[in-house]
Amino acid sequence: MKTQFDPHIADPLKVKKLEKEFENTISELNKQKYISIMEERKRLNKILMSYKIAKPIEIVWPKLLSILLKDLHPSLKIENVNKGDFYITSNSKDKLPFRIKNYDDQKTITIEWISKKQWFTRTINVKQIKNNSTKIFYMDISKGEVSVAGYFERRVIFVYNKRQVIAFTIQMLNLKIDLELVPSNKIEKIKNKIEKMLKYSQKLY
């Protein structure tokens, strides 16, 4: 029988090494690199999105959190999430370690990771709104060493942003299916749409 992989990084030595790596990289990236304020601002990339779900927050949040965690790693469950702990993604090409920077099991989660001298922070939170509905807020911030000025740098950012928008849209569609907000006769159509979006995202470069 195949043993289920545990994405949680519990080895004290590995954790200490990651903490030092994160601390050093973030500290270096927070240093001013340019005299120009405009150039400094270009080192930041921010994506903001939101979505409304016609269900109460206590129903939406657990389902949403499960989807978010599964996208990070299929074996990552809500009960295994702890603020400050490190985990590893399931990406077969590049298994990146990430940290749960902030976590409230009722309304918000923030993860952070570093890759290629860049610092990424992603926050998802929810808020109860009128008509017993829930508003989902998504914020993705990345910070690099250089100003996004040249064609190559702009293209990399464009592809990253596009992929995150697609990923969030797919998560919301899956959430609606899980919450039974999609008529049964339209589920197959939505799943086909998701498949096409995934293929499109994979081809982006």
Side-chain angles (χ1 to χ4, degrees):
M1 182 182 290
K2 188 176 179 181
T3 304
Q4 190 177 46
F5 178 78
D6 184 2
H8 182 234
I9 301 174
D11 186 316
L13 292 177
K14 290 182 179 179
V15 170
K16 188 174 181 179
K17 183 180 178 181
L18 283 169
E19 285 176 340
K20 190 66 176 176
E21 183 182 355
F22 272 57
E23 180 185 341
N24 290 343
T25 303
I26 293 170
S27 176
E28 184 61 33
L29 288 172
N30 278 333
K31 292 178 182 177
Q32 186 171 335
K33 307 292 182 181
Y34 297 92
I35 297 175
S36 167
I37 294 177
M38 288 296 293
E39 290 302 313
E40 275 294 308
R41 286 177 179 171
K42 289 179 183 177
R43 293 174 56 212
L44 282 172
N45 178 60
K46 184 181 290 188
I47 308 170
L48 299 173
M49 293 181 282
S50 63
Y51 200 87
K52 179 183 175 182
I53 294 287
K55 288 277 186 177
I57 193 170
E58 61 269 18
I59 294 176
V60 172
W61 179 241
K63 292 283 188 181
L64 173 60
L65 188 56
S66 293
I67 290 171
L68 297 173
L69 297 177
K70 186 178 179 180
D71 282 352
L72 290 168
H73 197 289
S75 299
L76 187 54
K77 309 298 182 183
I78 294 176
E79 58 268 25
N80 302 129
V81 174
N82 297 299
K83 180 180 176 180
D85 282 6
F86 286 93
Y87 303 82
I88 195 163
T89 63
S90 60
N91 190 307
S92 58
K93 292 182 180 179
D94 193 8
K95 295 183 183 298
L96 286 172
F98 65 92
R99 176 165 57 187
I100 305 294
K101 185 178 181 181
N102 189 31
Y103 176 59
D104 179 333
D105 61 6
Q106 299 298 317
K107 61 181 181 180
T108 186
I109 186 169
T110 299
I111 66 169
E112 64 176 350
W113 69 99
I114 54 176
S115 175
K116 298 177 182 178
K117 295 183 179 180
Q118 285 187 300
W119 173 30
F120 298 83
T121 305
R122 182 174 301 157
T123 299
I124 307 283
N125 57 49
V126 292
K127 181 181 179 181
Q128 189 76 56
I129 56 176
K130 61 182 181 180
N131 299 325
N132 212 22
S133 295
T134 303
K135 192 73 173 285
I136 300 166
F137 299 93
Y138 171 105
M139 180 171 65
D140 184 294
I141 300 174
S142 56
K143 189 173 188 177
E145 281 193 320
V146 298
S147 169
V148 182
Y151 171 79
F152 177 75
E153 289 83 5
R154 291 197 304 271
R155 183 63 188 177
V156 169
I157 290 297
F158 168 80
V159 171
Y160 177 80
N161 290 353
K162 189 72 174 178
R163 282 177 173 164
Q164 302 324 305
V165 171
I166 292 171
F168 180 73
T169 303
I170 290 172
Q171 288 170 341
M172 295 304 102
L173 290 174
N174 280 323
L175 179 60
K176 289 180 71 173
I177 291 174
D178 287 353
L179 292 172
E180 300 180 349
L181 291 173
V182 178
S184 57
N185 63 335
K186 292 185 178 180
I187 290 178
E188 194 61 33
K189 183 178 179 181
I190 295 296
K191 288 183 176 180
N192 289 334
K193 180 180 179 180
I194 289 172
E195 187 65 28
K196 289 179 181 178
M197 293 174 74
L198 284 169
K199 288 180 179 178
Y200 173 72
S201 179
Q202 291 167 357
K203 291 178 180 178
L204 280 171
Y205 65 89

